[in-house]
């Protein structure tokens, strides 16, 4: 693991690190904020998965999460959204290829060689963090935006024993019924739609739900509402009587201005679960 940078931030340290990923077959970069408490004892960890076109840097610099994480003594991990490199398959469209990993393990060529983001986020990167930083593996939570909200919700529902809480900002909520999903799942996973359902938060909410609190924020003026399909997830949460809240925020769009406005509440929501 190589340290790319470390900066003092709100009493803690905001670091950026790179490493050779076995899962993705390339070098991967991630950002990690450690609060001051990590100097003396392991601290809880909140994951934040970013959306289409983003890297580790977007949420790290725009979400304003470090201040609130420092207040609660919580670490923040901002992974990249996909494998990258000259030999990594890509597409001219912004919603496929590099920057658009969709948090799945691709099984189809040319993506299968590198696009193993599910294994990277759920197995390889957690192991690396546990070996190198003062983190409490028993206290984890997960959040994300857009494509990352999709990833956070699906990962949490598949791994309920790992995460105490899950939240999302404007998640891609029903990808099997959206062009932000059908296109990518066909490319990465093939035509067998039974494999798609495993990565659809609405379907997973209907079938299993999450054994913990859920918080969803969605802007009413989001320019991608027709692709996100929030009403499907809201209906599934209601039908299941899921412990949680689905909030429509009047006038907000899909940008980081929206995310940063409500980030304090999301970090507090997770901190309550992590310190329960």
């Amino acid at each position: 693991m190589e340290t790319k940078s470390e900066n003092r931030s709100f009493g803690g340290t905001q670091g950026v690190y790179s490493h050779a990923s076995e899962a993705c077959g390339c070098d991967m970069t991630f950002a990690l904020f450690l609060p001051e408490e990590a100097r003396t004892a392991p601290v809880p960890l909140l994951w934040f998965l970013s959306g289409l076109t983003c890297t580790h840097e977007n949420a790290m610099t725009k979400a304003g999460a470090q201040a609130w994480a420092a207040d609660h003594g919580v670490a923040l991990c901002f992974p990249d959204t996909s494998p990258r490199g000259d030999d990594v398959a890509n597409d001219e469209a912004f919603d496929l290829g590099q920057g658009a990993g969709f948090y799945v393990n691709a099984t189809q060529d040319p993506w299968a060689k590198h696009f193993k983001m599910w294994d990277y986020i759920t197995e390889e990167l957690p192991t690396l963090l546990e070996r190198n930083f003062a983190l409490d593996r028993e206290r984890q939570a997960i959040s994300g935006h857009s494509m990352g909200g999709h990833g956070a919700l699906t990962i949490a529902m598949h791994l309920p024993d790992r995460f105490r809480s899950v939240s999302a900002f404007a998640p891609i909520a029903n990808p099997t019924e959206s062009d932000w999903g059908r296109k990518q799942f066909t490319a990465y996973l093939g035509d067998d739609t039974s494999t798609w359902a495993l990565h659809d938060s609405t379907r997973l909410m209907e079938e299993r739900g999450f054994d913990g609190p859920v918080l969803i924020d969605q802007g009413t003026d989001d320019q991608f509402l027709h692709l996100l399909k929030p009403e499907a997830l809201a209906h599934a949460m209601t039908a299941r009587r899921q412990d949680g809240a689905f909030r429509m925020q009047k006038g907000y769009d899909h940008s980081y201005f929206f995310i940063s406005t409500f980030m304090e509440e999301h970090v507090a929501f997770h901190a309550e679960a992590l310190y329960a």
Side-chain angles (χ1 to χ4, degrees), residues 91 106 170 188 205 221 253:
D91 191 272
Y188 294 146
M205 182 61 67
D221 287 7
D253 58 17

Side-chain angles (χ1 to χ4, degrees), residues 48-62 79-84 90-103 115 117 145-150 172 180 183-184 188 223-224 227 254-256 259:
F48 189 91
L49 307 185
S50 292
L52 288 166
T53 76
C54 292
T55 69
H56 68 280
E57 189 173 13
N58 296 73
M60 179 185 76
T61 59
K62 295 180 180 180
D80 202 348
T81 55
S82 80
R84 299 180 191 273
N90 202 9
D91 191 272
E92 293 183 356
F94 75 94
D95 58 356
L96 187 67
Q98 295 186 37
F102 264 77
Y103 304 101
F115 282 72
M117 288 301 293
H145 170 234
S146 193
M147 178 185 72
H150 138 79
I172 300 175
W180 272 0
K183 172 184 176 180
Q184 294 80 7
Y188 294 146
Q223 58 270 46
F224 302 114
L227 295 166
H254 201 69
S255 70
Y256 269 88
I259 297 169

